[in-house]
């Protein structure tokens, strides 16, 4: 995905959510930590900016009821984490693969904590 127009962000303790538009014209969000590293990306793409923003805000609001965990990458050469909604669809995934299960698990737990911080930000992902 390529960067959007720069308006898609909100800050909570240095954490930002940004909405990007891909080459296919569909939107996806990404969460960036204070150090600039991308922590998570949307597992789904959306046809409209507003739909993507609503999906991220719903993710923050529903965070306590969402399930997730660590699993092997599709290629089996590392670890990734993902978060699923009530219907079992992946909604958020790690932005990269990890070599160690324990490192991936720690990243997953940090992401869950960051979601709690962003939940209180109005217009979490613009």
């Amino acid at each position: 995905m390529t960067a959007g127009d720069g308006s898609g962000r909100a800050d909570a303790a240095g954490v930002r959510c940004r909405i990007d538009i891909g080459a296919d014209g569909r939107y996806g969000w990404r969460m960036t930590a204070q150090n600039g590293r991308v922590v998570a990306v949307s597992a789904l793409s959306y046809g409209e900016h507003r739909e993507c923003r609503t999906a991220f805000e719903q993710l923050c609001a529903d965070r306590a009821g969402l399930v997730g965990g660590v699993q092997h990458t599709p290629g089996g050469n590392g670890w990734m984490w993902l978060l699923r909604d009530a219907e079992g669809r992946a909604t958020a995934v790690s932005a990269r693969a990890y070599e160690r299960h324990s490192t991936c698990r720690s990243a997953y737990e940090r992401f869950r904590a960051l979601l709690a911080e962003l939940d209180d930000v109005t217009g979490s992902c613009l």
Side-chain angles (χ1 to χ4, degrees), residues 14-111:
V15 177
R16 294 185 314 263
C17 174
R18 242 189 144 132
I19 295 178
D20 298 320
I21 186 167
D24 62 356
R26 296 186 59 81
Y27 296 88
W29 58 262
R30 64 184 157 105
M31 184 188 292
T32 307
Q34 185 174 11
N35 65 4
R37 179 171 282 186
V38 178
V39 176
V41 296
S42 57
L44 303 170
S45 62
Y46 304 90
E48 296 181 16
H49 185 277
R50 178 177 21 106
E51 184 183 7
C52 185
R53 177 182 164 189
T54 300
F56 182 79
E57 290 173 348
Q58 193 65 50
L59 175 76
C60 291
D62 294 345
R63 73 185 184 283
L66 301 176
V67 297
V70 173
Q71 66 182 41
H72 279 288
T73 59
N77 57 353
W79 299 93
M80 63 181 281
W81 60 259
L82 58 87
L83 199 59
R84 296 185 182 279
D85 64 14
E87 288 86 36
R89 293 179 303 221
T91 58
V93 296
S94 55
R96 66 180 187 93
Y98 297 85
E99 289 183 25
R100 295 188 178 121
H101 183 277
S102 60
T103 306
C104 187
R105 183 74 188 172
S106 294
Y108 170 69
E109 291 168 1
R110 282 193 307 271
F111 170 71

